[in-house]
Amino acid sequence: MPKDVPGSARFALQKQELRVLRRIRRDQVRSGMFIHAMEGSWFSHPFIKAGFVLSDPEDVEALRSSRVDGVVIDTEKGADILVDQNVVLSAPASDALAEPKRPAPTIEATPQEVVVPLHAETPPAITTIASDAPCSMAEEYGRANAIAAHAKRVMTELYDQARLGKIVEADTLVSLVDDIAGSLARNRSALTSILRLKSKDEYTYVHSVAVSALMINMGREIGGFDVGTLRNMGVAGLLHDIGKMAMPEAVLGKPGDLTNEEFSIMKTHPERGHALLRRSREVPDMALDVCLHHHERVNGTGYPQRLKGNQITLFSRIGAICDVYDALTSNRPYKTAWEANRALKTMFSWRGHFDTDILTAFIRSVGIYPVGTLVKLRSNHLALVLDINTADLTRPVVRAFYSITNCAPIPPQDINLLLDGGGDAIVSSENPEAWDIADWETRWSALAA
């Protein structure tokens, strides 16, 4: 690559094989290119994920006509742009990828090139104008917090209307699903971690938002779903528990165990919700299915229809896992939240309850030590899990903040246990109460920000 390429950014690392990533406009894509990334919301294009060779003419046309802000190609793995595409003869003023007009008679819009180490764990960030470009937990935290607050207001109003027996207009939820999806695209853990901080009083409302986010994350982890399916998964998560609005408040908010009679009443909420959604507008079939069947179990012990195995749709099996995980890790009127690691281990031990393959994919999507988990390190420090490493779920990125040896706080220190742990490792996940850490939810959110 010439040294005088305008607008290029170079990151040189010695003794590492290099590859070239080139950022181009969507109208420059052609067959044979390796699509490394697509900039913008994943609702703006019809592809479930990047990392493929563009070979089907229909896919080429779909990408060209999409709403992505730009495309990043890997010229080591696929075709480069055509030479004459480097010159832009005319570009609309609204084209965000076009270079600013210069006095020169010919406007060159040279695509950005970034040289990155092929084997680097995390490639250097490519500066983009896309609002959904991947970012760190700290960068996304504020936006995710705002989305969570907005989602709580939306769902509180929707559930209050449902309590009055009013129909649901599901199409009004699409913009909220887009917001949730956009946050997950930027950082897969920020929003889901914030949603775990709900109080027992707001559980019913925020739980549905959490399940929506977890289902979208699951869909992305499994792969192969088109954009419409992923959006429907988000809507299904938001509406799966709407039947609880037909439950007596004395049962729904009871602080202790339910009696057999009360539990029989509670078990009717999937059917009550399904009946309400059938009378409502623009409700996807998937949302109807997940609402009715998210309490079914693979071994046939669930309710309301005691379905088993493949009688339960894929999406209801996904919904069941997301529903139980969020329930176990949340404070509810009758129980305190479990640590995420304990919840995952317990769910895996319930043989026959969940689809094992889907549960394994779920664990990959949230991590063995999900973001927000308190852990003890081999170095005798307490640390907060900041991010997961998909290459090794047992070695996440953590922020050490307390010396057990000295019984004293330390300046926060970020450690990537996969790359620079220096022999350090997680010994165990910990219960904050056992360490007299009051209000862990507030404490860890402050540590993570």
Side-chain angles (χ1 to χ4, degrees), residues 261-300:
E261 181 181 358
E262 290 169 335
F263 186 54
S264 294
I265 294 173
M266 181 62 77
K267 286 170 66 176
T268 66
H269 81 267
E271 294 164 303
R272 299 290 294 274
H274 184 260
L276 173 63
L277 294 182
R278 286 189 64 186
R279 294 189 288 109
S280 300
R281 300 172 186 164
E282 305 294 331
V283 178
D285 289 341
M286 185 194 301
L288 289 165
D289 172 49
V290 173
C291 177
L292 184 60
H293 296 132
H294 66 278
H295 281 289
E296 301 288 359
R297 297 294 179 257
V298 173
N299 60 9

Side-chain angles (χ1 to χ4, degrees), residues 38-113:
M38 289 168 281
E39 298 175 351
S41 167
W42 48 274
F43 281 120
S44 62
H45 61 78
F47 303 98
I48 183 65
K49 60 176 69 175
F52 63 92
V53 175
L54 197 59
S55 57
D56 191 322
E58 291 185 1
D59 288 342
V60 174
E61 182 56 35
L63 188 49
R64 285 177 176 173
S65 60
S66 70
R67 294 181 291 112
V68 298
D69 299 308
V71 179
V72 180
I73 61 172
D74 188 333
T75 59
E76 288 289 316
K77 296 182 179 180
D80 203 343
I81 63 172
L82 297 174
V83 176
D84 59 358
Q85 283 186 319
N86 275 310
V87 179
V88 179
L89 299 179
S90 62
S94 60
D95 189 347
L97 293 180
E99 290 283 333
K101 290 186 177 181
R102 299 189 179 106
T106 302
I107 302 173
E108 287 197 2
T110 306
Q112 296 176 3
E113 291 183 350

Side-chain angles (χ1 to χ4, degrees), residues 104-224:
T106 302
I107 302 173
E108 287 197 2
T110 306
Q112 296 176 3
E113 291 183 350
V114 180
V115 179
V116 299
L118 181 60
H119 302 299
E121 184 64 24
T122 304
I126 299 173
T127 302
T128 74
I129 59 172
S131 60
D132 292 342
C135 65
S136 68
M137 174 81 168
E139 291 171 317
E140 179 59 21
Y141 193 88
R143 286 177 293 197
N145 220 1
I147 291 170
H150 171 65
K152 177 186 172 183
R153 291 192 295 270
V154 170
M155 295 309 296
T156 299
E157 181 178 349
L158 184 144
Y159 273 35
D160 286 347
Q161 294 295 313
R163 186 178 284 111
L164 298 174
K166 296 184 178 180
I167 63 173
V168 174
E169 297 184 2
D171 57 333
T172 63
L173 298 176
V174 171
S175 62
L176 175 57
V177 171
D178 286 358
D179 287 342
I180 293 170
S183 181
L184 296 173
R186 291 187 294 269
N187 186 286
R188 69 191 300 178
S189 300
L191 181 61
T192 53
S193 300
I194 289 169
L195 292 171
R196 279 174 42 212
L197 305 182
K198 52 190 167 293
S199 69
K200 61 182 181 181
D201 296 325
E202 60 189 12
Y203 170 77
T204 300
Y205 307 105
V206 184
H207 168 66
S208 293
V209 184
V211 171
S212 175
L214 291 169
M215 288 188 69
I216 294 172
N217 247 354
M218 270 287 285
R220 300 179 72 190
E221 177 65 37
I222 294 172

Side-chain angles (χ1 to χ4, degrees), residues 345-374:
K345 287 181 179 179
T346 302
M347 290 173 68
F348 215 84
S349 72
W350 289 338
R351 299 296 180 185
H353 279 232
F354 308 110
D355 184 306
T356 304
D357 291 337
I358 297 176
L359 182 56
T360 301
F362 179 79
I363 293 173
R364 286 200 308 268
S365 73
V366 299
I368 294 175
Y369 301 102
V371 170
T373 302
L374 177 67

